[in-house]
Amino acid sequence: MGLAICVFCASSSKIDPRHVELAGRVGAEIARRGHSLVSGGGTVSCMGAVARGARDGGARTVGVIPEGLLAYEIADQASEELIVTPDMRSRKGEMDRRSDAFLVLPGGIGTLEELFEIWTARTLGMHEKQLVILDPTGVYDPLRELMVRLTDEGFARPKIFDAIGWTASLDEAFDLLERSPVRIEPTPEDYVEAEP
């Protein structure tokens, strides 16, 4: 039985069409590999493209959308299951609960919020679900550099990079998602100040 893969991605219509095309390819690959999709439940931009790509290939799709965004993101009524939540926090919780793995595509602050919540929980050992960023155009390169800087400055532990896969390749992204995740557990040293 396949994985329920949650895809975090853009809902903005003012982006390079390459990103929408990538989302459609991701949806098709979810179907080709026998997985199902959990998405943000909208029909616009990348969010809609990934769901259509998955459905066109025969994959099951579950959409989760907050009531307040029904008009803006235009609810994906074609989903096998469309869940309307009261707010964004419950949306993320429902998507998390229904997913076995997470794939992050280029997106805006909403996508970053979703990424960081799942990444933080993974780093703290609160779940063992695979988390992968697929970024063939280098949109997230500055973010990666920032995370290296934060690690170098001691604000983050090097193990944060054990909690995530980062690739420009569609095939590699899915290979990473399908691997058994490495168990990451915080240690007391993560929270103890070094002696001066």
Side-chain angles (χ1 to χ4, degrees), residues 108-119:
I109 59 172
T111 304
L112 288 173
E113 179 195 23
E114 292 162 335
L115 163 63
F116 277 115
E117 184 166 326
I118 296 300
W119 194 359

Side-chain angles (χ1 to χ4, degrees), residues 7-49:
V7 177
F8 296 135
C9 59
S11 61
S12 171
S13 60
K14 298 179 179 179
I15 59 173
D16 189 315
R18 292 179 300 169
H19 299 301
V20 179
E21 188 267 337
L22 173 65
R25 287 174 43 224
V26 164
E29 189 67 7
I30 285 172
R32 191 184 76 76
R33 293 194 183 217
H35 303 308
S36 62
L37 170 70
V38 177
S39 78
T43 60
V44 297
S45 190
C46 296
M47 197 184 300

Side-chain angles (χ1 to χ4, degrees), residues 79-97:
S79 288
E80 278 77 4
E81 191 174 356
L82 180 65
I83 300 144
V84 179
T85 63
D87 52 41
M88 290 291 282
R89 286 185 178 183
S90 52
R91 175 201 223 178
K92 288 186 297 178
E94 189 67 19
M95 291 171 79
D96 183 2
R97 187 179 71 77

Side-chain angles (χ1 to χ4, degrees), residues 3-189:
L3 300 170
I5 297 177
C6 181
V7 177
F8 296 135
C9 59
S11 61
S12 171
S13 60
K14 298 179 179 179
I15 59 173
D16 189 315
R18 292 179 300 169
H19 299 301
V20 179
E21 188 267 337
L22 173 65
R25 287 174 43 224
V26 164
E29 189 67 7
I30 285 172
R32 191 184 76 76
R33 293 194 183 217
H35 303 308
S36 62
L37 170 70
V38 177
S39 78
T43 60
V44 297
S45 190
C46 296
M47 197 184 300
V50 71
R52 288 187 297 275
R55 271 196 301 276
D56 288 350
R60 182 173 192 276
T61 61
V62 175
V64 185
I65 191 167
E67 190 172 13
L69 293 182
L70 284 170
Y72 301 105
E73 293 182 350
I74 310 171
D76 186 6
Q77 301 293 344
S79 288
E80 278 77 4
E81 191 174 356
L82 180 65
I83 300 144
V84 179
T85 63
D87 52 41
M88 290 291 282
R89 286 185 178 183
S90 52
R91 175 201 223 178
K92 288 186 297 178
E94 189 67 19
M95 291 171 79
D96 183 2
R97 187 179 71 77
R98 289 174 170 268
S99 302
D100 301 313
F102 301 90
L103 180 61
V104 182
L105 303 182
I109 59 172
T111 304
L112 288 173
E113 179 195 23
E114 292 162 335
L115 163 63
F116 277 115
E117 184 166 326
I118 296 300
W119 194 359
T120 300
R122 176 89 171 90
T123 301
L124 294 174
M126 295 178 173
H127 70 82
E128 293 183 22
K129 300 174 183 182
Q130 287 286 37
L131 171 62
V132 176
I133 289 177
L134 172 58
D135 183 21
T137 59
V139 169
Y140 288 135
D141 286 352
L143 173 62
R144 193 173 196 167
E145 291 169 14
L146 173 63
M147 300 314 294
V148 169
R149 172 79 184 271
L150 292 176
T151 303
D152 290 346
E153 295 283 343
F155 293 109
R157 304 290 179 187
K159 69 175 65 174
I160 66 169
F161 293 105
D162 297 334
I164 193 167
W166 213 303
T167 182
S169 161
L170 180 71
D171 286 337
E172 184 180 14
F174 278 88
D175 291 346
L176 290 168
L177 289 167
E178 292 169 347
R179 284 187 191 159
S180 296
V182 175
R183 184 168 179 78
I184 298 172
E185 295 184 24
T187 61
E189 292 77 27

